[in-house]
Amino acid sequence: MGIELRHLAAFVAVAESLHFRRAAERLHVAQPALSRTIAQLEARLGARLVERSTRNVRLTEAGRVLLPEARATLAAADRAVHRTRAVSEGTVGHLSVTYMDFAINGPLPAILARFRATHPDVEITLRHLWTERQREAVLAGEVDIGFLIGPFDAPGVRSVVVRRERLCVVLPAAHRLAAAERVPLGHLRDEPFVLGNLEAWAPFRRLVDDACRAVGFTPRVVQEAYNSDGIFGLVAAGLGVTVYVDGGARRYRPADVVVRPLADVGVEVATTAAWRADNRSPVLARFVEALSAD
Amino acid sequence: MGIELRHLAAFVAVAESLHFRRAAERLHVAQPALSRTIAQLEARLGARLVERSTRNVRLTEAGRVLLPEARATLAAADRAVHRTRAVSEGTVGHLSVTYMDFAINGPLPAILARFRATHPDVEITLRHLWTERQREAVLAGEVDIGFLIGPFDAPGVRSVVVRRERLCVVLPAAHRLAAAERVPLGHLRDEPFVLGNLEAWAPFRRLVDDACRAVGFTPRVVQEAYNSDGIFGLVAAGLGVTVYVDGGARRYRPADVVVRPLADVGVEVATTAAWRADNRSPVLARFVEALSAD
DNA sequence: GCAGCTCGATGCCCATGAGGCATCAATCTA
DNA sequence: TAGATTGATGCCTCATGGGCATCGAGCTGC
């Protein structure tokens, strides 16, 4: 008993071609059906829209008013359909991502570039956060996906390892061990260490501590920094040595630090992407697909 | 096979109440019908819109995007319907009106006031035009309705007389005939006349000439003016006398002119509204109704 | 000037599908 | 655990959208 989009579409077709048969073709219906649709629209509006004889079809004043309104309504419907589809397919929408240093110095830039290439209309919010704060944020649903030091095993949380890296040692260029091809961790026993501060770098600090303890010493930390730039700067300044991840360290190559693999350490750092299993965001689903697609 | 307004209306009802049974009541349909309409909308969009269990109904991300779009589409449709109806009923629209001096000094202001009171949303364009130019404009369809000196008998033109007025004489206050209750036209035989110029006032000039010739003289025109203000001003200045219409002259009452009925002239001036019979403007139809309603 | 088109409208018919009622399974409450 | 309430589903009916054939009106061309 009401106006429907099919009425408006029929009217626009008639108004634009001013010819029932051709308008009917355009709508892929037979001409009698169109005649009736227009008649029905007129009846429901209580207004004559089209002045028609067998030789002449033209709009009434009411028809001229309806035409732009009908077009606008159809356009609004079209927009509604397309935007909804886009969001549901994850080609449009929003994704909030957090990361820590190893991720941004490692696999994350390539992942983001790849995703943005296939999903240019997804708005991505990036925020730097330490691993432990990321775990809280992911669990609380404050963030769609976090790139952190794994593993992250918690009920309702899914994760994939995006990169495994071995540890390496970073030395001032002038260091006595800089000449060695590979450095056994035990040789760092008496070295002064520069490491990330405990609060932000806790999981990595535990990992380094464990590795050192396995070869019989506890690292003597003489300087802490809040981020990788700080750590590498302090090492370059000759304040101490540090242990970092293999791939990430390669990005830092000022002439005055030297990166060497550790000879005897099997420990790997797993840069891990983690998200809530019940997060139904279609964009997240596409992002996760993209993660494992390569 | 397409989305219809009923789908959007159903979705908005569900999204707003987050409860199928109550939404169904609001839409005056049974709950199963609504469930199916929503399912159908989801199928046609290829997108899940509502996350629903028997205990919980909430929107998906796609649903949250669709909601405002659907509302906007329904509002656009509503607006289209209402504007079209209003125009077709003549309660909204446009009317172009022309008039000459006798109309605007006579019946037209009251007619316009009455019409505007009942049709406040009709936009009226008023333009001053001499009778003969109005005839052309009405015939050419440049104007919806003209108020002119009748009669106006032409094929395809309809007209009604909105006022008939007798002629009167307008004299300088100090004139020797000012004392008379009524003035016979013949007494003006030797008077200098002020009249409207021939181009603009042709029909009235013909009328005055005919009346004078009927009592045996031709008016000696010493001064012409383009409009009524000019004519009355020149008479007030003592340059001559004039003949005008009865009702219209009553509006002009500076202390220095005197209006007197003509004793022996039966001629009446018919202020006439004229429009094209094939003008389908609903506003015009309502305006014409209002003309004859009173 | 008439035959033959082309136009939109109409009659008739059928298939689709919207919507109602009864009922189901799941879930929460008392 | 019984009962109430939720949205989904099966089944049925009837309204209606749409197709084909055809009509009357009006233009065109021989």
Side-chain angles (χ1 to χ4, degrees), chain A residues 27 66 82 114 140 150 160 227 232:
Chain A
L27 296 164
L66 178 57
H82 284 104
R114 189 145 39 85
V160 291
N227 59 25
F232 279 72

mmCIF file of all heavy atoms in Angstrom, chain A residues 27 66 82 114 140 150 160 227 232:
data_model
loop_
_atom_site.group_PDB
_atom_site.id
_atom_site.type_symbol
_atom_site.label_atom_id
_atom_site.label_comp_id
_atom_site.label_asym_id
_atom_site.label_seq_id
_atom_site.Cartn_x
_atom_site.Cartn_y
_atom_site.Cartn_z
ATOM 1 N N LEU A 27 14.193 -0.794 -18.104
ATOM 2 C CA LEU A 27 13.919 -1.417 -16.800
ATOM 3 C C LEU A 27 13.814 -2.933 -16.912
ATOM 4 O O LEU A 27 13.597 -3.619 -15.921
ATOM 5 C CB LEU A 27 12.608 -0.861 -16.231
ATOM 6 C CG LEU A 27 12.591 0.632 -15.893
ATOM 7 C CD1 LEU A 27 11.169 1.115 -15.714
ATOM 8 C CD2 LEU A 27 13.407 0.892 -14.627
ATOM 9 N N LEU A 66 8.781 15.771 -8.540
ATOM 10 C CA LEU A 66 9.133 14.433 -8.047
ATOM 11 C C LEU A 66 10.462 13.946 -8.624
ATOM 12 O O LEU A 66 11.229 13.276 -7.925
ATOM 13 C CB LEU A 66 8.023 13.429 -8.381
ATOM 14 C CG LEU A 66 8.297 11.979 -7.960
ATOM 15 C CD1 LEU A 66 8.574 11.881 -6.465
ATOM 16 C CD2 LEU A 66 7.136 11.079 -8.338
ATOM 17 N N HIS A 82 25.604 0.023 -1.203
ATOM 18 C CA HIS A 82 27.029 -0.135 -1.482
ATOM 19 C C HIS A 82 27.892 0.036 -0.243
ATOM 20 O O HIS A 82 28.841 -0.709 -0.033
ATOM 21 C CB HIS A 82 27.451 0.819 -2.598
ATOM 22 C CG HIS A 82 27.018 0.347 -3.944
ATOM 23 N ND1 HIS A 82 25.949 0.890 -4.615
ATOM 24 C CD2 HIS A 82 27.465 -0.679 -4.718
ATOM 25 C CE1 HIS A 82 25.776 0.241 -5.758
ATOM 26 N NE2 HIS A 82 26.671 -0.711 -5.846
ATOM 27 N N ARG A 114 51.014 -4.137 2.208
ATOM 28 C CA ARG A 114 50.300 -5.125 1.407
ATOM 29 C C ARG A 114 48.788 -4.985 1.603
ATOM 30 O O ARG A 114 48.015 -4.988 0.655
ATOM 31 C CB ARG A 114 50.771 -6.527 1.821
ATOM 32 C CG ARG A 114 50.287 -7.634 0.953
ATOM 33 C CD ARG A 114 51.338 -8.739 0.830
ATOM 34 N NE ARG A 114 52.026 -8.970 2.099
ATOM 35 C CZ ARG A 114 51.578 -9.775 3.072
ATOM 36 N NH1 ARG A 114 50.452 -10.434 2.914
ATOM 37 N NH2 ARG A 114 52.283 -9.949 4.170
ATOM 38 N N ALA A 140 40.644 -6.225 26.340
ATOM 39 C CA ALA A 140 39.568 -5.295 26.662
ATOM 40 C C ALA A 140 38.799 -4.877 25.414
ATOM 41 O O ALA A 140 37.797 -4.174 25.496
ATOM 42 C CB ALA A 140 40.143 -4.053 27.351
ATOM 43 N N GLY A 150 55.232 -12.734 21.425
ATOM 44 C CA GLY A 150 54.446 -13.891 21.812
ATOM 45 C C GLY A 150 55.211 -14.795 22.721
ATOM 46 O O GLY A 150 56.362 -14.502 23.058
ATOM 47 N N VAL A 160 48.658 -15.370 15.607
ATOM 48 C CA VAL A 160 49.589 -16.042 14.678
ATOM 49 C C VAL A 160 50.951 -15.400 14.830
ATOM 50 O O VAL A 160 51.069 -14.196 15.094
ATOM 51 C CB VAL A 160 49.156 -15.915 13.193
ATOM 52 C CG1 VAL A 160 47.908 -16.710 12.906
ATOM 53 C CG2 VAL A 160 48.993 -14.468 12.790
ATOM 54 N N ASN A 227 63.174 3.080 24.159
ATOM 55 C CA ASN A 227 62.856 2.537 22.833
ATOM 56 C C ASN A 227 64.137 2.125 22.108
ATOM 57 O O ASN A 227 65.245 2.360 22.596
ATOM 58 C CB ASN A 227 62.064 3.562 22.010
ATOM 59 C CG ASN A 227 62.843 4.864 21.830
ATOM 60 O OD1 ASN A 227 64.069 4.873 21.890
ATOM 61 N ND2 ASN A 227 62.118 5.947 21.607
ATOM 62 N N PHE A 232 70.051 1.769 20.746
ATOM 63 C CA PHE A 232 71.126 1.783 19.756
ATOM 64 C C PHE A 232 72.010 3.020 19.902
ATOM 65 O O PHE A 232 73.223 2.962 19.712
ATOM 66 C CB PHE A 232 70.551 1.685 18.337
ATOM 67 C CG PHE A 232 70.213 0.274 17.954
ATOM 68 C CD1 PHE A 232 69.118 -0.384 18.506
ATOM 69 C CD2 PHE A 232 71.030 -0.416 17.067
ATOM 70 C CE1 PHE A 232 68.828 -1.688 18.178
ATOM 71 C CE2 PHE A 232 70.734 -1.739 16.727
ATOM 72 C CZ PHE A 232 69.622 -2.372 17.286
#
